[in-house]
């Protein structure tokens, strides 16, 4: 339920509320890969690359078999130089 709410906030451009919701999910269930990935994507989409990178890395630490997350992390690292 919280994930759906966070996604709705993000789609409505309510990025602060989306971030808080994703963080709440992670606090409640640290191993929830989707929350880490979507938080990373939220940061990435806002150009907050230094915040996106560790979220992508945590998602991959939880499950290294995510091609799209590898791609997004690579793009983030490239943008960071």
């Amino acid at each position: 339920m919280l994930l759906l709410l966070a996604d709705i906030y993000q789609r409505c451009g309510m990025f602060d509320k989306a971030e808080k919701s994703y963080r709440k999910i992670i606090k409640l269930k640290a191993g929830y890969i989707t929350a880490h990935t979507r938080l990373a994507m939220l940061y990435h989409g806002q150009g907050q690359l230094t915040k996106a990178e560790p979220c992508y890395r945590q998602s991959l630490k939880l499950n290294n078999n995510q091609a799209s997350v590898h791609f997004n992390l690579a793009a983030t690292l490239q943008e960071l130089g």
Side-chain angles (χ1 to χ4, degrees), residues 44-74:
H44 195 165
Q46 294 180 314
Q48 297 181 49
L49 304 177
T50 57
K51 288 185 176 182
E53 180 187 352
C55 296
Y56 283 133
R57 289 188 186 279
Q58 182 61 33
S59 181
L60 289 172
K61 184 177 178 181
L62 295 168
N63 179 359
N64 195 38
N65 192 23
Q66 301 178 83
S68 62
V69 178
H70 280 285
F71 179 85
N72 289 338
L73 175 58

Side-chain angles (χ1 to χ4, degrees), residues 14-49:
M14 301 169 79
F15 302 122
D16 289 340
K17 287 186 176 189
E19 178 185 5
K20 287 177 186 175
S21 294
Y22 290 130
R23 291 238 170 250
K24 185 173 183 177
I25 295 165
I26 291 167
K27 184 177 179 180
L28 294 171
K29 189 174 179 185
Y32 193 34
I33 298 165
T34 304
H36 289 282
T37 303
R38 292 197 183 158
L39 181 59
M41 293 171 67
L42 173 71
Y43 288 142
H44 195 165
Q46 294 180 314
Q48 297 181 49
L49 304 177

